[in-house]
Amino acid sequence: MLILIYWVVLIESFFQMLKQLNTYDHEISLQWAICARYNSPYLFLRKFVLALEFSGSGYVWIPYAIIMIGLHYTSIYDAMKYILLFTGLMFDIAMIGITKGLTRRSRPVVNHDDVLSIGPDRFSFPSGHTSRAVFLLFYFLSTNFFQTIPAPVIIIWLSLVVLSRVVLGRHYVTDVIAGIFFGIFECSAIVYLTPFVTRFVFSIFGVPS
């Protein structure tokens, strides 16, 4: 009986801690949403942060990857880095879409004019922009994707994309933290999958791997 009471108290304490964490998450996320609250003195930055948001969108990078694959179709070696980029982006969409569909967490109340939020993306947990930015950061730096753009510029840009999620009131802080972990996992998965994807693509085109 004492053991049962102990576990009941322990579970109750755990849920109470989660409730307090959720409350704190809501409060700090609202405080940091400086480009979302209508009474914020920083609303003049909103257009700039919206541009940052769009720069990290799948609506930009997926068409880009497809177009670049098409432009390099005559050389599978040149197209391969774009094929791997496309693979990573699709994997990110699958992971985030499934998780958002399961959790169905509503976005913060200060989220306004979110034209990029459709389908499962209308939910908040985890942040897809964040997971994508982490993946892109890893991929761009590890492959020297943009040879003319210095690494610090890429790091600052994609870090600001992550920051934009809370600043615009799109996500709670915990959504962004989860998105970072999802992005790290996706990076690890793509490293593991790269040899298999490469061999598969090469086999289609009859190129020795």
Side-chain angles (χ1 to χ4, degrees):
M1 186 64 180
L2 289 176
I3 295 177
L4 179 60
I5 294 175
Y6 170 78
W7 278 106
V8 170
V9 172
L10 186 64
I11 293 172
E12 184 179 354
S13 300
F14 174 73
F15 280 104
Q16 185 63 30
M17 182 184 67
L18 288 181
K19 184 177 180 180
Q20 292 176 352
L21 177 63
N22 186 61
T23 299
Y24 182 68
D25 185 29
H26 279 64
E27 290 176 352
I28 195 171
S29 299
L30 179 61
Q31 292 174 6
W32 290 0
I34 59 175
C35 291
R37 302 193 312 271
Y38 288 135
N39 62 346
S40 171
Y42 302 100
L43 275 180
F44 66 94
L45 293 172
R46 183 173 173 84
K47 290 185 177 179
F48 169 71
V49 183
L50 284 171
L52 280 172
E53 173 185 57
F54 187 72
S55 73
S57 169
Y59 298 110
V60 172
W61 292 104
I62 293 174
Y64 169 79
I66 294 173
I67 291 171
M68 295 306 290
I69 291 171
L71 291 176
H72 293 83
Y73 75 96
T74 56
S75 174
I76 189 60
Y77 294 102
D78 293 336
M80 202 59 223
K81 69 176 183 179
Y82 302 108
I83 294 173
L84 291 172
L85 173 62
F86 179 77
T87 302
L89 293 170
M90 291 296 99
F91 183 62
D92 173 70
I93 287 178
M95 289 290 299
I96 300 301
I98 291 172
T99 306
K100 284 187 174 184
L102 291 174
T103 57
R104 304 179 72 86
R105 185 185 195 184
S106 299
R107 289 184 183 261
V109 294
V110 291
N111 177 36
H112 307 296
D113 305 322
D114 190 357
V115 296
L116 301 178
S117 180
I118 59 175
D121 210 37
R122 68 182 182 276
F123 299 119
S124 188
F125 183 91
S127 169
H129 264 76
T130 299
S131 62
R132 188 180 311 111
V134 172
F135 165 70
L136 291 176
L137 176 63
F138 161 81
Y139 190 73
F140 290 161
L141 295 183
S142 64
T143 61
N144 197 22
F145 196 88
F146 295 114
Q147 298 181 3
T148 59
I149 302 178
V153 174
I154 296 176
I155 294 171
I156 292 172
W157 160 48
L158 291 172
S159 298
L160 289 175
V161 170
V162 171
L163 182 63
S164 75
R165 313 325 297 143
V166 177
V167 170
L168 285 172
R170 303 294 196 221
H171 291 279
Y172 298 103
V173 173
T174 49
D175 299 333
V176 173
I177 294 173
I180 291 173
F181 283 105
F182 268 83
I184 293 172
F185 170 75
E186 291 165 6
C187 292
S188 302
I190 292 302
V191 169
Y192 177 78
L193 291 173
T194 292
F196 299 98
V197 174
T198 302
R199 284 198 297 269
F200 175 72
V201 173
F202 280 14
S203 68
I204 293 176
F205 289 89
V207 178
S209 57

